[in-house]
DNA sequence: GTGTTCCAAGCTGTATACAGCATGTGATGC
DNA sequence: GCATCACATGCTGTATACAGCTTGGAACAC
Protein backbone atom coordinates (compact mmCIF):
# COMPACT_ATOMS: atom_id res chain seq x y z
CA UNK A 1 0.00 0.00 0.00
CA UNK A 2 2.99 2.33 0.01
CA UNK A 3 3.08 2.22 -3.73
CA UNK A 4 3.15 5.09 -6.09
CA UNK A 5 -0.54 5.37 -6.84
CA UNK A 6 -1.54 5.54 -3.19
CA UNK A 7 1.13 8.07 -2.41
CA UNK A 8 0.26 10.25 -5.38
CA UNK A 9 -3.42 9.87 -4.63
CA UNK A 10 -2.94 11.17 -1.12
CA UNK A 11 -0.85 14.10 -2.23
CA UNK A 12 -3.11 15.18 -5.08
CA UNK A 13 -6.14 14.71 -2.87
CA UNK A 14 -4.68 17.19 -0.40
CA UNK A 15 -3.86 19.58 -3.21
CA UNK A 16 -7.39 19.37 -4.55
CA UNK A 17 -8.95 19.71 -1.10
CA UNK A 18 -6.89 22.84 -0.45
CA UNK A 19 -7.62 24.22 -3.90
CA UNK A 20 -3.99 24.35 -4.89
CA UNK A 21 -5.57 23.93 -8.29
CA UNK A 22 -7.86 26.82 -9.09
CA UNK A 23 -11.52 26.05 -9.78
CA UNK A 24 -12.03 24.90 -13.36
CA UNK A 25 -8.27 24.81 -13.86
CA UNK A 26 -6.97 22.14 -16.15
CA UNK A 27 -4.43 19.84 -14.57
CA UNK A 28 -1.28 19.39 -16.60
CA UNK A 29 -0.43 15.74 -16.21
CA UNK A 30 3.14 15.90 -17.42
CA UNK A 31 4.04 18.78 -15.14
CA UNK A 32 2.29 17.35 -12.11
CA UNK A 33 3.74 13.90 -12.57
CA UNK A 34 7.22 15.36 -12.81
CA UNK A 35 6.62 17.46 -9.73
CA UNK A 36 5.57 14.34 -7.86
CA UNK A 37 8.49 12.32 -9.16
CA UNK A 38 6.52 9.73 -11.09
CA UNK A 39 5.21 9.08 -14.56
CA UNK A 40 1.80 9.90 -15.93
CA UNK A 41 0.49 6.36 -15.54
CA UNK A 42 0.12 6.24 -11.75
CA UNK A 43 -0.86 9.89 -11.70
CA UNK A 44 -3.77 9.27 -14.04
CA UNK A 45 -4.89 6.34 -11.92
CA UNK A 46 -4.94 8.61 -8.88
CA UNK A 47 -6.77 11.32 -10.81
CA UNK A 48 -9.44 8.81 -11.78
CA UNK A 49 -10.00 7.97 -8.14
CA UNK A 50 -10.43 11.65 -7.37
CA UNK A 51 -12.95 11.96 -10.18
CA UNK A 52 -14.98 9.19 -8.58
CA UNK A 53 -14.81 11.08 -5.28
CA UNK A 54 -16.02 14.29 -6.82
CA UNK A 55 -12.89 16.34 -6.16
CA UNK A 56 -12.07 16.58 -9.86
CA UNK A 57 -13.92 16.03 -13.07
CA UNK A 58 -12.80 14.73 -16.45
CA UNK A 59 -13.64 15.84 -19.94
CA UNK A 60 -12.80 13.52 -22.76
CA UNK A 61 -9.95 14.77 -24.85
CA UNK A 62 -9.41 17.74 -22.57
CA UNK A 63 -8.15 16.12 -19.39
CA UNK A 64 -8.81 16.56 -15.70
CA UNK A 65 -10.15 19.73 -14.11
CA UNK A 66 -10.48 21.05 -10.60
CA UNK A 67 -14.04 21.23 -9.28
CA UNK A 68 -15.58 24.54 -8.35
CA UNK A 69 -17.61 25.33 -5.27
CA UNK A 70 -20.78 27.30 -5.82
CA UNK A 71 -22.95 28.43 -2.92
CA UNK A 72 -25.53 25.89 -4.11
CA UNK A 73 -23.06 23.06 -4.03
CA UNK A 74 -22.00 23.99 -0.52
CA UNK A 75 -25.62 23.94 0.53
CA UNK A 76 -26.11 20.52 -1.01
CA UNK A 77 -23.03 19.11 0.65
CA UNK A 78 -24.07 20.46 4.02
CA UNK A 79 -27.53 18.95 3.62
CA UNK A 80 -25.93 15.59 2.95
CA UNK A 81 -23.70 16.14 5.93
CA UNK A 82 -26.69 16.92 8.13
CA UNK A 83 -28.48 13.79 6.94
CA UNK A 84 -25.52 11.60 7.81
CA UNK A 85 -24.52 13.23 11.08
CA UNK A 86 -27.98 13.37 12.57
CA UNK A 87 -28.69 9.76 11.69
CA UNK A 88 -25.31 8.76 13.04
CA UNK A 89 -26.08 10.68 16.21
CA UNK A 90 -29.23 8.67 16.77
CA UNK A 91 -27.35 5.43 16.23
CA UNK A 92 -24.56 6.58 18.51
CA UNK A 93 -27.02 7.09 21.34
CA UNK A 94 -27.98 3.45 21.05
CA UNK A 95 -24.57 1.98 20.37
CA UNK A 96 -21.82 3.99 21.99
CA UNK A 97 -20.46 2.49 25.14
CA UNK A 98 -19.98 4.58 28.26
CA UNK A 99 -16.26 4.25 27.79
CA UNK A 100 -16.47 5.65 24.29
CA UNK A 101 -18.49 8.61 25.49
CA UNK A 102 -15.95 9.27 28.19
CA UNK A 103 -13.22 9.21 25.55
CA UNK A 104 -15.17 11.75 23.55
CA UNK A 105 -15.51 13.92 26.63
CA UNK A 106 -11.78 13.70 27.23
CA UNK A 107 -11.07 14.60 23.63
CA UNK A 108 -13.27 17.65 23.89
CA UNK A 109 -11.71 18.64 27.18
CA UNK A 110 -8.18 18.24 25.90
CA UNK A 111 -8.91 20.44 22.90
CA UNK A 112 -10.74 23.06 24.94
CA UNK A 113 -7.69 25.16 25.64
CA UNK A 114 -6.88 25.27 21.94
CA UNK A 115 -10.19 26.90 21.11
CA UNK A 116 -8.70 30.36 21.57
CA UNK A 117 -7.65 33.21 19.31
CA UNK A 118 -4.21 32.59 17.94
CA UNK A 119 -4.74 28.94 17.14
CA UNK A 120 -4.16 28.55 13.41
CA UNK A 121 -7.32 27.93 11.40
CA UNK A 122 -6.19 24.60 10.02
CA UNK A 123 -5.78 23.38 13.57
CA UNK A 124 -9.24 24.61 14.49
CA UNK A 125 -10.73 22.88 11.47
CA UNK A 126 -8.84 19.73 12.37
CA UNK A 127 -10.20 19.73 15.90
CA UNK A 128 -13.70 20.44 14.69
CA UNK A 129 -13.50 17.67 12.12
CA UNK A 130 -11.99 15.40 14.75
CA UNK A 131 -14.96 15.86 17.03
CA UNK A 132 -17.52 15.26 14.34
CA UNK A 133 -15.77 12.21 12.95
CA UNK A 134 -15.58 10.77 16.45
CA UNK A 135 -19.29 11.30 17.02
CA UNK A 136 -20.12 9.57 13.76
CA UNK A 137 -17.63 6.85 14.62
CA UNK A 138 -19.74 6.07 17.69
CA UNK A 139 -22.48 4.83 15.36
CA UNK A 140 -20.19 1.86 14.65
CA UNK A 141 -20.89 2.12 10.96
CA UNK A 142 -17.90 2.43 8.60
CA UNK A 143 -20.11 3.40 5.68
CA UNK A 144 -21.35 6.48 7.48
CA UNK A 145 -17.77 7.41 8.31
CA UNK A 146 -16.68 6.87 4.77
CA UNK A 147 -19.45 8.97 3.28
CA UNK A 148 -18.79 11.74 5.75
CA UNK A 149 -15.07 11.75 5.09
CA UNK A 150 -15.79 12.31 1.44
CA UNK A 151 -17.91 15.33 2.32
CA UNK A 152 -15.36 16.77 4.69
CA UNK A 153 -12.65 16.65 2.06
CA UNK A 154 -14.86 18.60 -0.28
CA UNK A 155 -15.83 21.30 2.19
CA UNK A 156 -12.59 21.54 4.10
CA UNK A 157 -11.36 24.55 2.20
CA UNK A 158 -14.48 26.56 2.86
CA UNK A 159 -14.62 25.52 6.48
CA UNK A 160 -11.05 26.65 6.87
CA UNK A 161 -12.02 30.16 5.90
CA UNK A 162 -15.37 30.22 7.65
CA UNK A 163 -14.14 28.85 10.93
CA UNK A 164 -12.25 31.95 12.07
CA UNK A 165 -13.74 33.78 15.02
CA UNK A 166 -16.20 31.02 15.74
CA UNK A 167 -14.16 29.58 18.56
CA UNK A 168 -16.50 29.77 21.53
CA UNK A 169 -19.60 28.93 19.57
CA UNK A 170 -18.07 25.79 18.14
CA UNK A 171 -16.88 24.52 21.46
CA UNK A 172 -20.17 25.32 23.15
CA UNK A 173 -22.09 23.51 20.43
CA UNK A 174 -19.82 20.48 20.74
CA UNK A 175 -20.29 20.40 24.49
CA UNK A 176 -24.03 20.47 23.99
CA UNK A 177 -23.86 17.54 21.60
CA UNK A 178 -21.73 15.57 24.00
CA UNK A 179 -24.13 16.30 26.82
CA UNK A 180 -27.09 15.06 24.82
CA UNK A 181 -25.18 11.92 23.88
CA UNK A 182 -24.36 11.19 27.51
CA UNK A 183 -28.00 11.72 28.39
CA UNK A 184 -28.77 9.15 25.67
CA UNK A 185 -31.33 11.58 24.33
CA UNK A 186 -31.60 10.78 20.64
CA UNK A 187 -33.97 13.59 19.76
CA UNK A 188 -31.81 16.17 21.46
CA UNK A 189 -28.66 14.82 19.80
CA UNK A 190 -30.36 15.05 16.43
CA UNK A 191 -31.61 18.54 17.04
CA UNK A 192 -28.31 19.90 18.31
CA UNK A 193 -26.33 18.30 15.50
CA UNK A 194 -28.80 19.65 12.97
CA UNK A 195 -28.59 23.14 14.45
CA UNK A 196 -24.82 23.00 14.56
CA UNK A 197 -24.45 21.79 11.00
CA UNK A 198 -26.95 24.34 9.75
CA UNK A 199 -25.09 27.15 11.46
CA UNK A 200 -21.86 25.96 9.85
CA UNK A 201 -23.64 25.77 6.55
CA UNK A 202 -24.80 29.36 6.75
CA UNK A 203 -21.30 30.53 7.56
CA UNK A 204 -19.81 28.46 4.77
CA UNK A 205 -22.37 29.51 2.21
CA UNK A 206 -21.84 33.12 3.11
CA UNK A 207 -18.10 32.64 2.78
CA UNK A 208 -18.47 31.28 -0.72
CA UNK A 209 -20.91 34.01 -1.65
CA UNK A 210 -18.41 36.61 -0.54
CA UNK A 211 -15.65 34.93 -2.48
CA UNK A 212 -17.88 34.92 -5.52
CA UNK A 213 -18.75 38.55 -5.19
CA UNK A 214 -15.09 39.43 -4.85
CA UNK A 215 -14.40 37.61 -8.08
CA UNK A 216 -16.89 39.63 -10.04
CA UNK A 217 -16.45 43.02 -8.41
CA UNK A 218 -12.97 44.24 -9.38
CA UNK A 219 -11.19 46.28 -6.77
CA UNK B 1 -17.05 11.15 -23.00
CA UNK B 2 -17.50 8.16 -25.27
CA UNK B 3 -13.90 7.20 -24.75
CA UNK B 4 -12.53 3.92 -23.66
CA UNK B 5 -12.22 4.58 -19.95
CA UNK B 6 -15.82 5.67 -19.55
CA UNK B 7 -17.08 2.75 -21.56
CA UNK B 8 -14.98 0.24 -19.67
CA UNK B 9 -15.89 1.87 -16.40
CA UNK B 10 -19.58 1.44 -17.11
CA UNK B 11 -19.22 -2.16 -18.15
CA UNK B 12 -17.02 -3.23 -15.26
CA UNK B 13 -19.25 -1.34 -12.85
CA UNK B 14 -22.20 -3.41 -14.01
CA UNK B 15 -20.15 -6.57 -13.72
CA UNK B 16 -19.11 -5.70 -10.19
CA UNK B 17 -22.64 -4.66 -9.17
CA UNK B 18 -24.01 -7.98 -10.44
CA UNK B 19 -21.20 -9.92 -8.81
CA UNK B 20 -19.97 -11.36 -12.07
CA UNK B 21 -16.76 -11.38 -10.12
CA UNK B 22 -17.04 -13.59 -7.07
CA UNK B 23 -16.48 -11.98 -3.66
CA UNK B 24 -12.77 -11.69 -2.88
CA UNK B 25 -11.93 -12.84 -6.40
CA UNK B 26 -8.86 -11.36 -7.95
CA UNK B 27 -9.47 -9.58 -11.22
CA UNK B 28 -7.15 -10.62 -14.01
CA UNK B 29 -6.36 -7.40 -15.82
CA UNK B 30 -4.94 -8.94 -18.97
CA UNK B 31 -7.88 -11.27 -19.45
CA UNK B 32 -10.50 -8.65 -18.68
CA UNK B 33 -8.92 -6.01 -20.87
CA UNK B 34 -8.80 -8.45 -23.76
CA UNK B 35 -12.42 -9.40 -23.16
CA UNK B 36 -13.37 -5.74 -23.28
CA UNK B 37 -11.28 -5.08 -26.35
CA UNK B 38 -8.84 -2.63 -24.83
CA UNK B 39 -5.46 -2.55 -23.17
CA UNK B 40 -4.69 -2.64 -19.49
CA UNK B 41 -4.13 1.11 -19.20
CA UNK B 42 -7.74 2.31 -19.52
CA UNK B 43 -8.96 -0.75 -17.65
CA UNK B 44 -6.80 0.09 -14.66
CA UNK B 45 -8.06 3.66 -14.70
CA UNK B 46 -11.63 2.37 -14.58
CA UNK B 47 -10.75 -0.08 -11.82
CA UNK B 48 -9.31 2.76 -9.75
CA UNK B 49 -12.58 4.64 -10.04
CA UNK B 50 -14.43 1.58 -8.81
CA UNK B 51 -12.08 1.31 -5.87
CA UNK B 52 -12.96 4.87 -4.93
CA UNK B 53 -16.63 3.94 -5.14
CA UNK B 54 -16.21 0.93 -2.91
CA UNK B 55 -17.18 -1.68 -5.48
CA UNK B 56 -13.67 -3.11 -5.58
CA UNK B 57 -10.61 -2.90 -3.41
CA UNK B 58 -6.92 -2.91 -4.25
CA UNK B 59 -3.99 -4.59 -2.59
CA UNK B 60 -0.55 -3.41 -3.52
CA UNK B 61 1.32 -5.95 -5.58
CA UNK B 62 -1.68 -8.25 -5.68
CA UNK B 63 -4.12 -6.31 -7.83
CA UNK B 64 -7.82 -5.55 -7.71
CA UNK B 65 -10.38 -7.67 -5.89
CA UNK B 66 -14.12 -7.89 -5.81
CA UNK B 67 -15.76 -6.65 -2.61
CA UNK B 68 -17.73 -9.02 -0.43
CA UNK B 69 -21.07 -8.35 1.20
CA UNK B 70 -21.37 -9.38 4.81
CA UNK B 71 -24.64 -9.02 6.70
CA UNK B 72 -22.98 -6.26 8.69
CA UNK B 73 -22.01 -4.34 5.59
CA UNK B 74 -25.55 -4.61 4.26
CA UNK B 75 -26.83 -3.22 7.52
CA UNK B 76 -24.39 -0.34 7.36
CA UNK B 77 -25.31 0.50 3.79
CA UNK B 78 -29.01 0.43 4.60
CA UNK B 79 -28.46 2.73 7.54
CA UNK B 80 -26.70 5.17 5.28
CA UNK B 81 -29.52 4.78 2.80
CA UNK B 82 -32.09 5.51 5.49
CA UNK B 83 -30.19 8.61 6.59
CA UNK B 84 -30.13 9.99 3.07
CA UNK B 85 -33.62 9.03 2.00
CA UNK B 86 -35.39 10.29 5.10
CA UNK B 87 -33.56 13.59 4.99
CA UNK B 88 -34.26 13.88 1.28
CA UNK B 89 -37.90 13.17 1.99
CA UNK B 90 -38.10 16.08 4.40
CA UNK B 91 -36.49 18.37 1.86
CA UNK B 92 -38.77 17.09 -0.88
CA UNK B 93 -41.82 18.06 1.14
CA UNK B 94 -40.55 21.62 1.18
CA UNK B 95 -39.20 21.79 -2.35
CA UNK B 96 -41.10 19.55 -4.71
CA UNK B 97 -43.57 21.35 -6.92
CA UNK B 98 -47.11 20.09 -7.31
CA UNK B 99 -46.24 19.18 -10.87
CA UNK B 100 -43.35 17.07 -9.75
CA UNK B 101 -45.52 15.24 -7.26
CA UNK B 102 -48.06 14.56 -9.96
CA UNK B 103 -45.32 13.14 -12.14
CA UNK B 104 -44.30 10.85 -9.30
CA UNK B 105 -47.90 9.76 -8.91
CA UNK B 106 -48.11 9.02 -12.61
CA UNK B 107 -44.88 7.05 -12.49
CA UNK B 108 -46.20 4.97 -9.64
CA UNK B 109 -49.50 4.44 -11.39
CA UNK B 110 -47.89 3.44 -14.66
CA UNK B 111 -45.72 0.87 -12.92
CA UNK B 112 -48.57 -0.49 -10.83
CA UNK B 113 -49.61 -3.15 -13.30
CA UNK B 114 -46.06 -4.44 -13.44
CA UNK B 115 -45.99 -5.19 -9.75
CA UNK B 116 -47.33 -8.66 -10.35
CA UNK B 117 -45.94 -12.20 -10.25
CA UNK B 118 -44.16 -12.98 -13.48
CA UNK B 119 -42.37 -9.66 -13.78
CA UNK B 120 -38.66 -10.44 -13.83
CA UNK B 121 -36.83 -9.47 -10.63
CA UNK B 122 -34.44 -7.09 -12.36
CA UNK B 123 -37.43 -5.16 -13.64
CA UNK B 124 -38.95 -5.04 -10.18
CA UNK B 125 -35.70 -3.79 -8.72
CA UNK B 126 -35.46 -1.21 -11.48
CA UNK B 127 -38.95 0.11 -10.75
CA UNK B 128 -38.30 0.16 -7.04
CA UNK B 129 -35.02 1.98 -7.53
CA UNK B 130 -36.74 4.32 -9.97
CA UNK B 131 -39.30 5.35 -7.39
CA UNK B 132 -36.75 5.95 -4.67
CA UNK B 133 -34.40 7.90 -6.90
CA UNK B 134 -37.29 10.07 -8.02
CA UNK B 135 -38.28 10.81 -4.44
CA UNK B 136 -34.74 11.81 -3.57
CA UNK B 137 -34.57 13.82 -6.77
CA UNK B 138 -37.44 15.93 -5.47
CA UNK B 139 -35.09 17.26 -2.81
CA UNK B 140 -33.35 19.14 -5.62
CA UNK B 141 -29.96 18.16 -4.30
CA UNK B 142 -27.56 16.39 -6.69
CA UNK B 143 -25.25 15.40 -3.86
CA UNK B 144 -27.97 13.38 -2.18
CA UNK B 145 -28.74 11.71 -5.48
CA UNK B 146 -25.10 10.97 -6.08
CA UNK B 147 -24.54 9.46 -2.66
CA UNK B 148 -27.65 7.35 -2.97
CA UNK B 149 -26.73 6.08 -6.42
CA UNK B 150 -23.47 4.84 -5.00
CA UNK B 151 -25.36 2.90 -2.34
CA UNK B 152 -27.83 1.44 -4.78
CA UNK B 153 -25.08 0.07 -6.97
CA UNK B 154 -23.59 -1.67 -3.98
CA UNK B 155 -26.83 -3.24 -2.77
CA UNK B 156 -28.45 -3.93 -6.11
CA UNK B 157 -27.40 -7.56 -6.18
CA UNK B 158 -28.88 -8.31 -2.79
CA UNK B 159 -32.05 -6.39 -3.52
CA UNK B 160 -32.44 -8.37 -6.70
CA UNK B 161 -32.63 -11.57 -4.71
CA UNK B 162 -34.60 -10.20 -1.78
CA UNK B 163 -37.22 -8.45 -3.86
CA UNK B 164 -39.05 -11.55 -5.01
CA UNK B 165 -42.52 -12.05 -3.60
CA UNK B 166 -42.60 -8.62 -2.08
CA UNK B 167 -44.66 -7.13 -4.85
CA UNK B 168 -47.76 -5.87 -3.08
CA UNK B 169 -45.91 -4.69 -0.01
CA UNK B 170 -43.51 -2.61 -2.04
CA UNK B 171 -46.19 -0.93 -4.04
CA UNK B 172 -48.31 -0.27 -0.98
CA UNK B 173 -45.34 1.27 0.81
CA UNK B 174 -44.57 3.48 -2.17
CA UNK B 175 -48.16 4.64 -2.35
CA UNK B 176 -48.03 5.55 1.31
CA UNK B 177 -44.87 7.57 0.78
CA UNK B 178 -46.39 9.39 -2.15
CA UNK B 179 -49.50 10.13 -0.12
CA UNK B 180 -47.46 11.64 2.70
CA UNK B 181 -45.52 13.72 0.21
CA UNK B 182 -48.69 15.09 -1.33
CA UNK B 183 -49.99 15.90 2.13
CA UNK B 184 -46.70 17.81 2.65
CA UNK B 185 -46.36 15.94 5.92
CA UNK B 186 -42.62 15.80 6.57
CA UNK B 187 -42.80 13.70 9.69
CA UNK B 188 -44.99 11.13 8.03
CA UNK B 189 -42.74 11.02 4.96
CA UNK B 190 -39.76 10.44 7.18
CA UNK B 191 -41.46 7.75 9.16
CA UNK B 192 -42.79 5.86 6.16
CA UNK B 193 -39.49 6.04 4.32
CA UNK B 194 -37.69 4.85 7.43
CA UNK B 195 -40.09 1.96 7.89
CA UNK B 196 -39.85 1.01 4.24
CA UNK B 197 -36.06 1.11 4.16
CA UNK B 198 -35.83 -0.85 7.40
CA UNK B 199 -38.13 -3.52 6.07
CA UNK B 200 -35.98 -3.80 2.95
CA UNK B 201 -32.94 -3.94 5.13
CA UNK B 202 -34.28 -6.85 7.13
CA UNK B 203 -35.10 -8.74 3.97
CA UNK B 204 -31.71 -8.00 2.46
CA UNK B 205 -29.81 -8.87 5.59
CA UNK B 206 -31.69 -12.13 5.87
CA UNK B 207 -30.92 -12.87 2.25
CA UNK B 208 -27.22 -12.41 2.81
CA UNK B 209 -27.33 -14.45 5.99
CA UNK B 210 -28.95 -17.29 4.10
CA UNK B 211 -26.37 -17.06 1.34
CA UNK B 212 -23.67 -17.17 3.97
CA UNK B 213 -25.14 -20.19 5.67
CA UNK B 214 -25.40 -21.97 2.33
CA UNK B 215 -21.73 -21.29 1.74
CA UNK B 216 -20.65 -22.92 4.95
CA UNK B 217 -23.16 -25.78 5.12
CA UNK B 218 -22.23 -28.14 2.30
CA UNK B 219 -25.13 -29.92 0.64
C1' DG C 1 1.11 -39.29 3.19
C1' DT C 2 2.76 -34.77 4.72
C1' DG C 3 5.36 -30.75 4.88
C1' DT C 4 8.95 -27.90 2.70
C1' DT C 5 11.67 -25.78 -0.82
C1' DC C 6 12.44 -24.04 -5.08
C1' DC C 7 11.31 -22.64 -9.52
C1' DA C 8 8.81 -21.11 -13.47
C1' DA C 9 4.90 -19.00 -15.17
C1' DG C 10 2.14 -15.25 -14.89
C1' DC C 11 0.65 -11.10 -13.00
C1' DT C 12 1.03 -6.35 -11.30
C1' DG C 13 2.97 -1.60 -11.23
C1' DT C 14 5.32 1.82 -13.79
C1' DA C 15 7.67 4.05 -17.61
C1' DT C 16 7.68 5.17 -22.20
C1' DA C 17 6.17 5.68 -27.07
C1' DC C 18 3.11 7.51 -30.22
C1' DA C 19 -1.17 8.80 -32.71
C1' DG C 20 -4.57 12.12 -32.71
C1' DC C 21 -6.80 16.03 -30.97
C1' DA C 22 -7.16 20.65 -28.51
C1' DT C 23 -5.43 25.19 -28.09
C1' DG C 24 -3.23 29.34 -28.54
C1' DT C 25 -0.57 32.25 -31.66
C1' DG C 26 0.56 34.68 -35.63
C1' DA C 27 -0.52 35.76 -40.32
C1' DT C 28 -3.94 37.36 -43.39
C1' DG C 29 -7.96 39.54 -45.25
C1' DC C 30 -11.22 43.04 -44.67
C1' DG D 1 -8.73 47.62 -35.54
C1' DC D 2 -11.08 43.19 -35.78
C1' DA D 3 -12.30 38.77 -37.10
C1' DT D 4 -10.78 34.53 -39.31
C1' DC D 5 -8.01 30.87 -40.50
C1' DA D 6 -4.03 27.93 -40.60
C1' DC D 7 -0.48 25.98 -38.21
C1' DA D 8 2.68 24.45 -34.77
C1' DT D 9 3.04 23.26 -30.24
C1' DG D 10 1.71 20.62 -26.60
C1' DC D 11 -1.43 17.77 -24.35
C1' DT D 12 -4.37 13.73 -23.77
C1' DG D 13 -5.64 8.80 -24.37
C1' DT D 14 -4.03 4.32 -25.27
C1' DA D 15 -0.83 0.60 -26.28
C1' DT D 16 3.20 -1.63 -25.23
C1' DA D 17 7.53 -2.93 -22.82
C1' DC D 18 9.68 -4.52 -18.87
C1' DA D 19 11.27 -5.09 -14.04
C1' DG D 20 9.96 -7.15 -9.92
C1' DC D 21 6.94 -9.64 -7.25
C1' DT D 22 3.33 -13.20 -6.24
C1' DT D 23 1.74 -17.68 -6.59
C1' DG D 24 0.80 -22.27 -7.61
C1' DG D 25 2.87 -26.54 -8.33
C1' DA D 26 6.49 -29.94 -8.89
C1' DA D 27 10.21 -32.12 -6.75
C1' DC D 28 12.05 -33.74 -2.73
C1' DA D 29 13.02 -35.00 2.04
C1' DC D 30 11.10 -37.23 5.84
Amino acid sequence: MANSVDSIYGQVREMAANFEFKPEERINESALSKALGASRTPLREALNRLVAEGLLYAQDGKGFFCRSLSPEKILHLYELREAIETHAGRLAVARASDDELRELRDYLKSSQNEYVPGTPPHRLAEMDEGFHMRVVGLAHNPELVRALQNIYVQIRYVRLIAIRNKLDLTHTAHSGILEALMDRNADLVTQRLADHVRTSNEEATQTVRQAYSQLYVPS
Side-chain angles (χ1 to χ4, degrees), chain A:
Chain A
M1 274 292 177
N3 61 356
S4 187
V5 171
D6 287 318
S7 161
I8 289 176
Y9 164 74
Q11 292 180 67
V12 180
R13 185 174 132 117
E14 287 308 300
M15 294 173 74
N18 301 332
F19 276 101
E20 294 177 31
F21 313 113
K22 291 178 198 136
E24 309 299 325
E25 184 188 350
R26 178 187 189 148
I27 292 174
N28 187 321
E29 297 172 17
S30 311
L32 185 55
S33 64
K34 267 176 204 156
L36 295 173
S39 79
R40 282 177 57 222
T41 307
L43 171 61
R44 282 178 60 88
E45 295 190 359
L47 291 175
N48 271 284
R49 284 199 207 176
L50 295 168
V51 167
E53 287 181 26
L55 282 171
L56 306 175
Y57 66 95
Q59 254 183 310
D60 187 36
K62 311 258 180 84
F64 296 88
F65 297 82
C66 182
R67 79 197 182 287
S68 61
L69 281 185
S70 65
E72 289 74 29
K73 188 163 180 189
I74 290 292
L75 172 66
H76 296 152
L77 286 167
Y78 270 83
E79 284 174 357
L80 179 55
R81 178 184 164 191
E82 184 184 332
I84 294 171
E85 290 204 28
T86 54
H87 199 76
R90 299 195 84 86
L91 293 173
V93 165
R95 293 182 187 163
S97 70
D98 293 339
D99 276 354
E100 285 175 319
L101 290 180
R102 274 192 288 273
E103 280 172 30
L104 183 66
R105 187 195 56 196
D106 293 344
Y107 173 80
L108 199 56
K109 201 177 280 179
S110 76
S111 66
Q112 186 167 13
N113 49 352
E114 283 198 78
Y115 273 97
V116 292
T119 305
H122 76 88
R123 178 73 190 126
L124 291 172
E126 192 181 308
M127 290 190 303
D128 186 40
E129 192 168 324
F131 178 79
H132 284 270
M133 291 308 304
R134 277 175 171 74
V135 169
V136 173
L138 297 182
H140 297 172
N141 180 331
E143 298 298 329
L144 293 175
V145 172
R146 189 180 127 93
L148 197 64
Q149 273 173 336
N150 181 23
I151 300 168
Y152 271 92
V153 172
Q154 294 195 58
I155 63 177
R156 186 195 298 167
Y157 182 76
V158 180
R159 286 176 61 245
L160 208 59
I161 300 173
I163 206 170
R164 305 166 199 275
N165 312 322
K166 290 294 171 183
L167 315 169
D168 293 341
L169 290 177
T170 299
H171 194 266
T172 304
H174 288 184
S175 298
I177 291 161
L178 173 67
E179 187 186 51
L181 276 168
M182 295 191 106
D183 285 351
R184 305 280 180 182
N185 186 333
D187 288 336
L188 194 58
V189 168
T190 302
Q191 189 198 312
R192 288 187 173 168
L193 273 169
D195 285 348
H196 180 47
V197 171
R198 280 179 200 166
T199 304
S200 307
N201 175 25
E202 280 162 25
E203 292 159 16
T205 304
Q206 206 171 351
T207 300
V208 177
R209 258 188 236 291
Q210 284 174 1
Y212 259 58
S213 65
Q214 284 171 12
L215 278 178
Y216 295 116
V217 179
S219 55

